[in-house]
Amino acid sequence: MSEKLGSAPHGGALINRVVPSAARGEAQARATCLPVVNLNARAASDLLLLATGAFSPLEGFMGHDAARSAAENLTLPDGRLWPLPVLLQLEASQAAAFSPGSVVALAYRGTLLGSLEVQERFTVPGKKWAREVFQTADEAHPGVAAFLTGGDVALAGPIQWFGDASVLGVGEHWRTPAETRAEMARRGWQTVAGFQTRNPIHRAHEYVLRTVLEVMDGLLLHPLVGETRPEDVPADLRLRCYQVLLDRYLPSDRILFSVLPAWMRYGGPREAVFHALVRKNFGCTHFIVGRDHAGVGKYYGPYDAHRLLKTLASDGLGVQPLFFDEVYYCRRCASLASQRSCGHGPEDRLTLSGTEVRRRLREGLPLPVEFTRPEVAAVLAEAFGAKGEVAHV
């Protein structure tokens, strides 16, 4: 199923399951009389993104046939591209109380956020779908672990949102897809590239952003701020690093800084497709894909995401991937480069993995100026503190 680049949200229309403000009080009052499903942070973020159209064309949590089609074929049953299940998983004992045809309220940390019209209740074939989506059923994989421990039964059906997104801690930088699209239109952007990283921004990222800005009207700087691994750098700290770079080095009029309150699935190539489609719904015509996008450990090859996206570029993706090889500092070139633009060998390259950066910060070691801006390094050093532990900022 082909789809014109940059024409519309995925599937043709931006889904909106947010109750209008005039009717919100009545919806909340009705929900107080409904049985309640208490969501974890992952499900709450999915609820917000479903309601605001970030996951268009989905209108709610997926049923069995749709989820199976996504897991096995990377499509919805009607053939539209969709790479992974979006499920509301519960323990079997809890799910048994909610039958198809019922309506349930959805709450997070004691606050009602929305409702679900239960159309289906089904058993999740956890390990089978894990192997399809993550290419492994190894519970050491954080995405697999979250999936397999999330609950053996799923409730499916359309949702409504009448809550306050601040309950999820999204902060002032959150914009819905409709708001993001409106701002891009106001700025007159015809071509927009989306960029995501779950790591603190460094010079290699900056190189990629500057390269893209040379050929795009604008850039959506869109860090993921939902749930990640405990060892990852916290979202609030990453946002401070982005802000330093925006304030001091990058053209703010060409960059739209917003956050994506999605949780990290660490799904490698499948999640790269997911991230591209989500940014398409936010208005991007292009999406930046680097080395080992959404990867973790050694589960995926460094350019597996590139290969999968290339096969889907003319098969309903509708957003143009911009592929980047690993960027490093070349001592002989005295500049940032990749193997596409630099002929020198590995012995001349300075690269720091996320693991190495965290080790240096924990041990109070400086980050090289070739790797990160001094102002960003100072933010990170202050946050990690004298004990090498991240302070809450």
Side-chain angles (χ1 to χ4, degrees):
M1 182 179 293
S2 62
E3 196 165 325
K4 182 180 176 183
L5 177 65
S7 59
H10 193 50
L14 192 66
I15 299 300
N16 179 12
R17 303 293 298 179
V18 178
V19 176
S21 56
R24 202 161 295 169
E26 181 181 349
Q28 290 170 334
R30 286 198 304 268
T32 60
C33 302
L34 297 173
V36 177
V37 173
N38 291 299
L39 307 178
N40 59 23
R42 297 189 297 273
S45 67
D46 282 346
L47 175 64
L48 173 62
L49 294 170
L50 284 164
T52 55
F55 293 172
S56 296
L58 304 186
E59 297 190 23
F61 291 101
M62 296 168 74
H64 179 272
D65 289 350
R68 180 178 64 183
S69 182
E72 295 180 356
N73 306 314
L74 285 89
T75 66
L76 298 173
D78 62 8
R80 287 180 292 187
L81 182 66
W82 195 262
L84 48 80
V86 178
L87 303 177
L88 177 54
Q89 293 173 257
L90 303 174
E91 295 299 330
S93 58
Q94 182 185 10
F98 310 116
S99 301
S102 64
V103 178
V104 300
L106 303 174
Y108 177 61
R109 293 184 174 177
T111 300
L112 293 175
L113 296 180
S115 63
L116 168 71
E117 179 186 339
V118 182
Q119 294 182 341
E120 191 177 345
R121 183 181 66 201
F122 64 93
T123 300
V124 178
K127 290 198 172 182
K128 183 178 187 300
W129 285 0
R131 291 189 191 97
E132 297 281 1
V133 174
F134 299 103
Q135 301 173 33
T136 179
D138 181 3
E139 293 187 46
H141 183 296
V144 171
F147 184 52
L148 295 182
T149 62
D152 296 329
V153 176
L155 301 181
I159 57 90
Q160 285 191 325
W161 172 277
F162 48 70
D164 186 341
S166 66
V167 175
L168 277 64
V170 295
E172 61 180 313
H173 293 296
W174 159 243
R175 289 183 176 89
T176 68
E179 291 168 340
T180 302
R181 285 174 164 267
E183 179 61 18
M184 291 172 179
R186 187 191 70 79
R187 298 188 186 195
W189 293 352
Q190 298 297 312
T191 56
V192 186
F195 176 79
Q196 154 179 328
T197 176
R198 67 178 188 265
N199 295 312
I201 199 159
H202 51 66
R203 295 293 293 274
H205 297 140
E206 185 181 341
Y207 172 91
V208 169
L209 299 183
R210 291 184 185 278
T211 301
V212 169
L213 282 170
E214 293 291 346
V215 294
M216 295 282 116
D217 293 336
L219 175 77
L220 176 62
L221 185 57
H222 212 208
L224 183 147
V225 297
E227 185 175 283
T228 59
R229 297 178 302 169
E231 59 265 41
D232 286 336
V233 173
D236 53 0
L237 177 52
R238 288 186 279 117
L239 294 183
R240 287 180 61 192
C241 295
Y242 293 126
Q243 196 63 59
V244 166
L245 202 65
L246 287 168
D247 290 343
R248 303 197 180 197
Y249 292 102
L250 294 174
S252 59
D253 60 324
R254 309 254 335 274
I255 297 176
L256 180 56
F257 183 34
S258 186
V259 297
L260 180 70
W263 59 284
M264 196 69 201
R265 289 164 165 86
Y266 302 95
R270 292 277 193 122
E271 192 166 8
V273 177
F274 179 65
H275 288 164
L277 294 177
V278 168
R279 278 18 181 264
K280 173 185 174 181
N281 287 330
F282 277 88
C284 292
T285 58
H286 296 71
F287 182 63
I288 299 165
V289 185
R291 179 186 181 278
D292 197 22
H293 186 101
V296 64
K298 301 295 183 182
Y299 290 99
Y300 312 107
Y303 299 108
D304 284 357
H306 290 203
R307 284 187 281 271
L308 179 58
L309 281 161
K310 285 176 181 176
T311 68
L312 300 173
S314 60
D315 194 25
L317 187 63
V319 60
Q320 181 64 50
L322 298 174
F323 299 116
F324 281 83
D325 287 355
E326 182 179 32
V327 176
Y328 50 81
Y329 182 84
C330 175
R331 296 182 180 89
R332 290 181 64 184
C333 292
S335 67
L336 289 154
S338 75
Q339 61 183 4
R340 295 188 180 195
S341 59
C342 169
H344 301 124
E347 67 278 3
D348 295 309
R349 302 172 187 173
L350 172 63
T351 58
L352 293 182
S353 66
T355 301
E356 174 64 11
V357 169
R358 290 189 292 270
R359 184 191 70 82
R360 285 174 175 255
L361 291 169
R362 284 196 303 269
E363 296 179 8
L365 300 174
L367 296 174
V369 294
E370 298 88 353
F371 176 77
T372 191
R373 294 285 186 181
E375 298 92 336
V376 173
V379 169
L380 291 169
E382 177 188 3
F384 271 76
K387 296 181 179 180
E389 298 176 352
V390 179
H392 293 287
V393 290

